[in-house]
Amino acid sequence: MTENLDHVGRIQREWARERPDLDVSPQGVIGRLHRVAAHLTEQLCVVYRRYGLGEGEFDVLAALRRAGEPFERAPGELAAFTMVTTGAMSKRIDRLERDGLVTRRVSSTDGRGRVVGLTTAGRELIDQAFAEHMRNERRLLQELKPEEAAQLEALLTTWLGRFEAPRSGG
């Protein structure tokens, strides 16, 4: 009888054969999460590309839109929200500005600082792209029963919280 193993299961079986002295069970979770993330990213980027955006540009526009009226944030704030370096953020902003989706201006509170804001075209684009993005995410989650999705969300929230929880100083 042949087992119907997924990619990670086959890797685990091979490692267990080659290194029976090691517990390869963590690969079952980590490896599958990594592969699911890659599949999800691929499917999410399909929507971004329909709007002429990469994942990074989508993130910048979404961070600006979530800021609320007047849809502005400092470049450093955008970098923190999207977890990239300020240099990477500058490149994203350059492209979005070139495409007429954002503007840059000198901060009214700090003459040395800059502020990035959504243009009308940028706001219209991110509103359309985000609506389709949510439909796409809903479609992807339909692979799970609602109770499975809720369980997975709870587990991931707990686990992520242990990585991202504020640490007490000391």
Side-chain angles (χ1 to χ4, degrees):
M1 182 166 152
T2 306
E3 286 183 73
N4 187 13
L5 296 176
D6 64 14
H7 183 76
V8 174
R10 288 189 297 275
I11 290 171
Q12 284 181 288
R13 183 178 59 198
E14 290 170 355
W15 274 120
R17 181 190 69 228
E18 295 301 314
R19 291 295 310 268
D21 57 310
L22 294 177
D23 174 15
V24 297
S25 62
Q27 279 185 323
V29 174
I30 304 297
R32 285 184 178 94
L33 273 176
H34 184 73
R35 290 184 60 80
V36 166
H39 288 292
L40 291 175
T41 298
E42 181 181 310
Q43 291 294 309
L44 296 176
C45 286
V46 168
V47 170
Y48 307 151
R49 285 191 296 270
R50 280 191 196 125
Y51 292 88
L53 301 170
E55 190 174 16
E57 289 83 16
F58 179 90
D59 286 347
V60 171
L61 294 176
L64 288 169
R65 181 62 175 91
R66 288 192 317 268
E69 194 74 52
F71 311 110
E72 296 179 335
R73 293 189 193 268
E77 193 179 8
L78 287 170
F81 275 112
T82 59
M83 297 182 289
V84 298
T85 65
T86 53
M89 181 54 60
S90 290
K91 289 179 183 176
R92 290 177 182 179
I93 293 168
D94 287 346
R95 178 173 177 260
L96 292 167
E97 186 175 34
R98 183 192 73 227
D99 293 346
L101 301 173
V102 302
T103 59
R104 286 184 207 175
R105 65 172 179 79
V106 175
S107 170
S108 56
T109 57
D110 174 7
R112 297 170 298 159
R114 294 284 209 214
V115 175
V116 178
L118 277 178
T119 63
T120 300
R123 182 175 174 194
E124 289 171 1
L125 181 75
I126 193 58
D127 281 351
Q128 290 173 6
F130 185 71
E132 185 172 343
H133 174 68
M134 285 295 90
R135 287 190 297 274
N136 191 35
E137 285 193 348
R138 184 165 284 107
R139 176 188 65 82
L140 291 166
L141 272 180
Q142 285 176 345
E143 297 296 323
L144 298 174
K145 295 175 186 166
E147 59 274 10
E148 291 171 330
Q151 288 173 330
L152 181 58
E153 182 180 10
L155 286 169
L156 291 173
T157 299
T158 298
W159 196 12
L160 186 59
R162 292 182 183 154
F163 285 103
E164 296 183 350
R167 301 189 192 272
S168 56

